[in-house]
Amino acid sequence: MAVNLHIPAPELVFPVDGVEIGVTEAGIRKAGRRDLTVFRLAEGTSVAGVFTRNRFRAAPVQVCEEHLAQSLPIRAMVVNTGNANAGTGEPGLAAARATCDALAKLLGLDPRQVLPFSTGVILEPLPVDRIEAGLPAAVKALAPGNWTEAAHGIMTTDTLPKIVSSRANIGGHPITLTGISKGAGMIRPNMATMLGFLATDAAIAPALLKRMAGQVADVSFNRITVDGDTSTNDSFIIAATGRAGLRIESESDPLYPELLATLKAAATKLAQLIVRDAEGATKFMTIRVEDAGSQEEALKVAYSVAHSPLVKTAFYASDPNLGRILAAIGYAGIDDLDVGRVNLWLDDVWVAKNGGRNPDYREEDGQRVMKQAEIAVRISLGRGKVTETVYTCDFSHEYVSINADYRS
């Protein structure tokens, strides 16, 4: 069950001028489901991406990186679900390139102008014949308003589509931002088993967009974790079509900070939707570490707590066995941590004071917070002025069931 995940009404999902999307059923793994999605991007669109750090990078990830590194502009993207095309060696690379070739032929492009994406089961050959057979229907369906259909089309173990869409006015220039993402398990930072696509009609110089994509990912998709597993196919793409009046060429532009903040906000919402729909999740948790001496140690503590199976199962059961959080802070890897300066809160409840149980803490107050669908864990280390935030969820019986039955 998803935790407070709301699908926007159709009239609140705004098309992005310069982006067309087509979705179809190709029978890649299972019949009767939309599993093939095509994006066509207008001429002049800037595209940048951030990808998994897993050394077993899937074939489509490798091809995407190759195509983004060359000089031809990216004009199309193709996404299949049901098969990750990962752990497939040279045949997998050939399959990803064949997918690009097939779509490029239909759209009159160079294959190097196409980015391929795959998600699903690892270590199985990609059924290129089914993709090639399905592409004409996806191309025929191309239309600006198909964002919701695409959000459905890229789902795997997701229970609900993940969409964000907004309009903003930056320096007197109206712009649109719309994005989709997928992911529910095998989620941890350095990207996740996730795909994310965010588009805007603002114009952003290609070199600048590349830097911005990394900055946006760092505060959004690199701040979520479900189970601590880093996947092979993680990809986050930003496309800027340039159809609006806003043009940003460099970081010195006075409107750059506002545009960057707007992109970060949209991507953070997309990333949080993944955690809200995590496999078997019943609770959405924000882990905020304050007063750290550095970003590195703040994130060490945040992920130590967020990854702890004991912490996550306690939250699932609404069991205020909160010493588990202190234990996770203690083994996070800060060797000179002065535990006598550590404080811990659940929402408004002060649980641990100066390294020990707060004399005013009552267990029924802790349990009250833990029964909520959304919970904030706040940790003060008393070491400096750095704050970092990570988003995670609980572990339930259903998480085990979903992953035990995934290939069935």
Side-chain angles (χ1 to χ4, degrees):
M1 57 178 288
V3 183
N4 294 336
L5 193 162
H6 305 290
I7 304 171
E11 64 271 18
L12 297 178
V13 179
F14 308 117
V16 176
D17 190 11
V19 179
E20 297 172 284
I21 307 172
V23 186
T24 193
E25 298 177 9
I28 292 167
R29 184 167 183 83
K30 295 180 180 179
R33 64 150 296 166
R34 291 168 287 187
D35 55 8
L36 186 62
T37 302
V38 168
F39 292 78
R40 179 163 60 188
L41 307 175
E43 189 173 354
T45 299
S46 299
V47 179
V50 180
F51 300 92
T52 183
R53 296 181 191 172
N54 191 310
R55 291 301 299 160
F56 268 102
R57 288 153 52 253
V61 168
Q62 297 179 57
V63 173
C64 279
E65 290 176 328
E66 291 172 3
H67 289 185
L68 284 168
Q70 49 84 48
S71 58
L72 288 173
I74 301 301
R75 294 291 309 283
M77 302 184 293
V78 54
V79 188
N80 76 265
T81 64
N83 184 299
N85 193 12
T88 48
E90 287 300 324
L93 287 168
R97 293 188 176 109
T99 300
C100 295
D101 292 344
L103 181 57
K105 185 176 180 180
L106 290 171
L107 297 180
L109 303 173
D110 186 294
R112 293 171 294 175
Q113 294 181 283
V114 178
L115 299 182
F117 304 87
S118 297
T119 183
V121 179
I122 297 171
L123 213 64
E124 293 187 2
L126 185 72
V128 181
D129 56 336
R130 298 176 194 174
I131 293 175
E132 292 178 342
L135 281 173
V139 169
K140 185 178 180 180
L142 284 168
N146 284 338
W147 283 96
T148 299
E149 289 77 2
H152 281 279
I154 65 174
M155 290 167 56
T156 50
T157 58
D158 310 63
T159 67
L160 292 171
K162 300 163 181 63
I163 314 165
V164 299
S165 190
S166 63
R167 286 173 171 159
N169 190 298
I170 298 180
H173 302 286
I175 65 167
T176 299
L177 297 94
T178 299
I180 59 175
S181 62
K182 65 79 49 181
M186 216 181 197
I187 301 293
R188 76 150 286 162
N190 302 330
M191 308 299 287
T193 299
M194 51 126 313
L195 301 176
F197 303 97
L198 180 60
T200 178
D201 52 6
I204 306 173
L208 178 61
L209 185 62
K210 183 177 180 179
R211 294 195 297 274
M212 293 175 77
Q215 293 173 301
V216 170
D218 277 345
V219 299
S220 57
F221 295 104
N222 283 343
R223 292 293 183 270
I224 60 173
T225 182
V226 169
D227 47 23
D229 274 346
T230 299
S231 176
T232 55
N233 291 61
D234 322 323
S235 306
F236 169 54
I237 297 294
I238 302 180
T241 66
R243 295 299 185 92
L246 178 64
R247 305 190 68 85
I248 304 293
E249 298 291 335
S250 72
E251 295 177 1
S252 62
D253 190 302
L255 299 181
Y256 168 79
E258 188 175 355
L259 177 60
L260 179 61
T262 303
L263 289 170
K264 286 180 176 180
T268 298
K269 288 182 181 178
L270 277 177
Q272 290 177 350
L273 291 178
I274 290 175
V275 177
R276 293 184 182 280
D277 194 28
E279 291 168 346
T282 69
K283 293 170 184 176
F284 177 87
M285 292 137 60
T286 299
I287 314 295
R288 179 181 171 92
V289 178
E290 303 173 346
D291 307 316
S294 67
Q295 181 187 62
E296 180 184 7
E297 67 181 31
L299 290 175
K300 276 185 176 181
V301 170
Y303 285 126
S304 184
V305 173
H307 289 157
S308 167
L310 291 177
V311 171
K312 295 164 84 69
T313 51
F315 275 96
Y316 170 65
S318 300
D319 175 17
N321 189 356
L322 300 175
R324 293 178 174 184
I325 297 178
L326 294 184
I329 296 170
Y331 64 62
I334 304 176
D335 294 335
D336 62 344
L337 178 65
D338 181 355
V339 298
R341 304 183 71 178
V342 172
N343 290 275
L344 168 66
W345 291 263
L346 291 185
D347 282 4
D348 60 337
V349 177
W350 195 349
V351 176
K353 183 177 182 179
N354 299 329
R357 181 179 176 127
N358 179 6
D360 298 327
Y361 169 67
R362 298 184 308 161
E363 190 164 289
E364 54 265 37
D365 291 332
Q367 189 169 54
R368 167 179 57 81
V369 174
M370 294 183 79
K371 287 181 177 180
Q372 299 171 179
E374 303 210 19
I375 303 163
V377 177
R378 185 160 64 94
I379 301 161
S380 171
L381 298 182
R383 293 170 61 86
K385 298 182 179 180
V386 176
T387 297
E388 285 290 345
T389 302
V390 167
Y391 307 98
T392 191
C393 62
D394 58 343
F395 265 167
S396 70
H397 304 289
E398 191 178 355
Y399 175 86
V400 177
S401 299
I402 290 169
N403 283 283
D405 298 337
Y406 178 60
R407 296 207 308 162
S408 303

